[in-house]
Amino acid sequence: MQLDYIDLKDLKPAPINVRKHGGDNVDDLLPSMRAIGLIQPLLVRKNCEGFEVVAGARRLKAANLLVDERREFESLPCAILEDGDDAIAIAASLAENVARLPMD
C-alpha cells in the first residue's frame, strides 16, 4: 500500500462502499478538521477518472465542505490500495465501518 497526497478534485466516493445510509451528516467531523486537519488518511483505489474513496467518504465530504468555507484543503492524505478485485476494497470498507461504534 502506498501513501500519498491526492488532489481533492481527483477523489470521488466509491460505489462499492458498504455504508449506504447515514453518511451525509458530517457535523461531528467539521470542528476537529477545522482545528487540526485530517488525521486519518482516506483509503482509495485508482479508477479511470482518478481515485475512488473506498473508506473515508464522510471525511471526503467534510473536506469538500471546508473547501467551500475557506479553501482549506487542496489535497488529502490517502492510502492507495494495490490493483485488485472488488473483494479487497469491500473488505477494507467493511472493516472500517464495522469498527465504528458510538462513543459513550
Side-chain angles (χ1 to χ4, degrees):
M1 189 176 307
Q2 176 186 351
L3 294 173
D4 204 352
Y5 279 82
I6 298 174
D7 288 344
L8 197 56
K9 65 179 174 15
D10 293 331
L11 296 167
K12 305 287 183 262
I16 62 157
N17 192 309
V18 297
R19 181 178 295 279
K20 303 297 183 201
H21 305 288
D24 290 335
N25 186 349
V26 295
D27 292 343
D28 58 325
L29 298 176
L30 293 174
S32 67
M33 286 180 67
R34 279 186 191 109
I36 59 176
L38 183 65
I39 58 173
Q40 182 178 353
L42 306 177
L43 186 60
V44 302
R45 67 181 185 172
K46 270 187 127 1
N47 69 12
C48 59
E49 300 170 0
F51 293 87
E52 57 184 22
V53 178
V54 173
R58 291 181 71 240
R59 285 171 269 155
L60 175 62
K61 183 176 178 99
N64 278 310
L65 289 173
L66 291 175
V67 165
D68 291 344
E69 278 182 15
R70 302 185 311 197
R71 301 241 171 255
E72 187 75 21
F73 297 97
E74 291 180 18
S75 61
L76 295 177
C78 296
I80 304 168
L81 286 172
E82 301 282 330
D83 287 339
D85 61 22
D86 284 349
I88 294 168
I90 291 169
S93 177
L94 185 61
E96 177 168 301
N97 284 292
V98 166
R100 186 186 319 186
L101 297 173
M103 293 178 63
D104 294 331

